[in-house]
Amino acid sequence: STMSDRLYFKQIELGPMQNYVYLIGSAETRKVAVVDAAWEIDTILRLAATDDVEITHAFVTHTHPDHVGGRFAGTEIEGITELLGKCKAKVVVHKAEAEFLKELSASDIIKAESGDKIDVGGVEIQLLHTPGHTPGSQCFLVDNRIVSGDTLFIGSCGRIDLPGSNPEQMYYSLTQKLMALPDETILFPGHNYSDRPTSTIGAEKQTNPYFHFHSLKQFLAAMGYR
């Protein structure tokens, strides 16, 4: 059987900021990872129960509140802490941002590095470190699909004017890591900021303005850094 036959993959829009949450794993073993569980944890668990899948991992693209929970604009977002109270999942976060998940115990966390492959119920998910939006931003590659968090959106890229952002790193993440993927790779972003839920790396190469800078200097100038 091909990987696609064995893959369980679901894209869900949750919360007031158009976040995409993903459930990814094995259609055979029914074990899955949830990506960026911050909003409506009960909804996520209900969907998993309806589909008869068990959440064994919680993958984190980056530790901003709308992707992991915690305090945001004076309100408390449910997030990973609540998830772990309701299911036994290992949290996969890039080592550069593990320190920001202070409320979790060390035994709950897998500190990831670029290139690591995590086995979720027999399905291998590869981690790609793509700093820029944040120091530990990472994307997840599985079966010709890239889950890109806030690094790459359809038609744009993540903000680089926030604390911890780095425009130079963003340029290299976009041009050397994401643009290096095969054109047919399907893009699954961290927010619904477009008129469609998915794209491909090939389509983004043609239409995404952030893929069209031919030098770091040009990219920085366009971003307002002189």
Side-chain angles (χ1 to χ4, degrees):
S1 68
T2 65
M3 170 68 159
S4 292
D5 296 337
R6 292 185 289 123
L7 187 70
Y8 172 96
F9 192 101
K10 194 158 257 194
Q11 180 186 46
I12 314 143
E13 188 182 333
L14 291 175
M17 296 174 69
Q18 291 137 321
N19 283 83
Y20 278 132
V21 171
Y22 296 90
L23 290 171
I24 308 169
S26 166
E28 289 171 349
T29 63
R30 315 305 292 175
K31 294 189 187 326
V32 301
V34 59
V35 177
D36 290 356
W39 310 94
E40 300 180 44
I41 299 303
D42 285 340
T43 303
I44 296 171
L45 292 170
R46 197 164 57 244
L47 284 168
T50 302
D51 282 359
D52 187 31
V53 293
E54 178 196 352
I55 296 172
T56 58
H57 293 75
F59 279 49
V60 174
T61 60
H62 64 297
T63 56
H64 281 162
D66 59 317
H67 294 260
V68 294
R71 296 203 69 73
F72 181 74
T75 57
E76 191 72 31
I77 304 173
E78 296 170 324
I80 285 182
T81 323
E82 175 159 337
L83 179 80
L84 294 192
K86 297 177 176 181
C87 69
K88 291 198 191 327
K90 288 274 190 215
V91 177
V92 179
V93 60
H94 188 269
K95 60 177 189 194
E97 291 184 30
E99 63 186 286
F100 299 124
L101 299 178
K102 294 184 180 63
E103 67 278 17
L104 303 183
S105 67
S107 61
D108 289 332
I109 294 181
I110 298 171
K111 294 183 188 177
E113 300 197 42
S114 200
D116 283 0
K117 294 183 169 87
I118 307 276
D119 184 300
V120 179
V123 165
E124 204 169 66
I125 302 176
Q126 185 175 354
L127 315 183
L128 210 58
H129 183 210
T130 52
H133 180 64
T134 67
S137 281
Q138 54 180 355
C139 300
F140 308 122
L141 196 54
V142 59
D143 183 44
N144 205 30
R145 301 161 197 238
I146 185 89
V147 176
S148 61
D150 286 7
T151 298
L152 181 63
F153 297 124
I154 298 171
S156 65
C157 72
R159 286 176 59 176
I160 47 173
D161 58 345
L162 301 164
S165 299
N166 184 312
E168 195 165 317
Q169 286 183 332
M170 178 63 99
Y171 176 75
Y172 290 116
S173 290
L174 292 175
T175 56
Q176 303 192 356
K177 294 187 174 171
L178 296 180
M179 282 183 84
L181 296 169
D183 281 358
E184 65 273 14
T185 308
I186 307 167
L187 173 66
F188 290 88
H191 289 268
N192 182 7
Y193 288 164
S194 168
D195 57 356
R196 58 196 192 280
T198 66
S199 181
T200 63
I201 292 295
E204 293 308 301
K205 281 182 189 171
Q206 290 176 328
T207 60
N208 191 324
Y210 295 95
F211 273 178
H212 289 177
F213 298 107
H214 299 295
S215 69
L216 173 63
K217 196 175 164 193
Q218 205 184 34
F219 179 79
L220 291 178
M223 290 298 203
Y225 297 88
R226 289 286 184 271

